[in-house]
Amino acid sequence: MSDTPEVRPPTVTPVRVVIALCLIAPFVAMLWVGSYAKTDPAFIGIPFFYWYQMAWVLISTALTMTAYQLWQRDQRGRSSKKGGASK
C-alpha cells in the first residue's frame, strides 16, 4: 500500500462549463418567449417569430456538435492521464 493519496482531476473544469453553456443556451433562448414574440423584422416574408425559432434549430445543432466534440476530447484526455485505453 502506498501512503500517497490518489490525485483525481477536478469534476468541474472550464471545458465542462463550456459544454454546459453550449447545451443550456438553446433552452434559454427558446424559453424566453418575450424576446422573440413579435412579427418584425420579417425575413423573406417570414415573421420574426418563426424564422428566429428555425435559426435556433441550426444554432442548436452546431452547439450540440461542439459540446460533443469537447466532451470526447475531455474524455480522451482523462483516460490518457489514467493510463487507460481510449476508444
Side-chain angles (χ1 to χ4, degrees):
M1 288 238 165
S2 96
D3 292 334
T4 58
E6 179 183 343
V7 178
R8 296 173 50 186
T11 304
V12 178
T13 62
V15 172
R16 289 185 176 192
V17 171
V18 171
I19 291 168
L21 290 174
C22 285
L23 295 175
I24 290 172
F27 289 104
V28 172
M30 290 292 94
L31 290 175
W32 186 21
V33 179
S35 70
Y36 64 92
K38 53 189 173 184
T39 57
D40 288 325
F43 176 69
I44 60 170
I46 302 170
F48 181 74
F49 181 79
Y50 295 112
W51 70 258
Y52 178 83
Q53 291 178 59
M54 291 300 109
W56 270 101
V57 169
L58 300 174
I59 295 167
S60 298
T61 302
L63 289 173
T64 303
M65 288 173 33
T66 302
Y68 177 74
Q69 294 297 323
L70 288 171
W71 180 257
Q72 292 297 326
R73 189 176 74 181
D74 184 59
Q75 293 304 303
R76 282 193 302 269
R78 285 177 174 267
S79 68
S80 69
K81 285 180 184 176
K82 288 182 183 177
S86 64
K87 286 188 175 184

